[in-house]
Amino acid sequence: MADHRARRRRDGAVRSDRGSKALSLGVGVAGALVVGVIGAIGGGMLRDVMLSLSFSFLHVGTLYAVAAGAGTAALVLLAELGTPIPIAGVVCLTVTTLVRLAAVRFDWTFPEQFVVRPRRPQAPPRAEGGRLGAGSAESD
């Protein structure tokens, strides 16, 4: 089981380099971020299907996609600043791994979802004795 956890940690890092491919195709910074994160999540889903595991990015409170996004953002930023892609890729791998390991080590999670129920409308105040006021249709 520990082997599966290690694969999950590094998989998001390796897959978020899809942002460099998106940049080379000219989709822009926002497109590269989206492609990188989707590539990381999609690769993780494929791995989970092949290993018959539940999808890791769907676990409540995990920072799986956030780690992939942070790594992709680092890669895109460095590429835009003119850093060679192999160096930006290593930084991407490092950032993604550090964010994911820190989230696991320090138990960083998103808050769990909860149901928000609308408040019931309050009934209008009644007159003394439980009857409606003198001007109502019932008092005529």
Side-chain angles (χ1 to χ4, degrees):
M1 185 65 177
D3 187 42
H4 297 305
R5 288 186 201 136
R7 281 188 197 147
R8 284 183 175 172
R9 274 183 240 140
R10 63 177 184 250
D11 223 27
V14 172
R15 304 244 190 282
S16 63
D17 72 341
R18 303 302 188 248
S20 66
K21 181 67 173 177
L23 282 175
S24 71
L25 294 174
V27 298
V29 173
L33 284 170
V34 169
V35 168
V37 172
I38 290 174
I41 291 172
M45 285 176 60
L46 182 62
R47 178 212 53 229
D48 291 341
V49 166
M50 290 175 21
L51 295 174
S52 297
L53 300 170
S54 62
F55 294 137
S56 56
F57 78 96
L58 291 177
H59 294 174
V60 175
T62 61
L63 297 178
Y64 186 83
V66 172
T72 301
L75 180 122
V76 169
L77 176 68
L78 290 173
E80 288 293 309
L81 293 175
T83 306
I85 292 297
I87 294 172
V90 170
V91 172
C92 167
L93 177 75
T94 304
V95 167
T96 305
T97 302
L98 289 176
V99 169
R100 186 66 186 128
L101 288 175
V104 171
R105 168 70 175 96
F106 299 112
D107 200 28
W108 294 343
T109 60
F110 284 126
E112 291 188 31
Q113 297 176 355
F114 60 93
V115 178
V116 178
R117 294 191 176 118
R119 294 183 182 179
R120 292 183 183 189
Q122 294 180 349
R126 296 198 155 237
E128 242 180 78
R131 290 198 269 160
L132 296 174
S136 70
E138 290 182 12
S139 61
D140 289 337

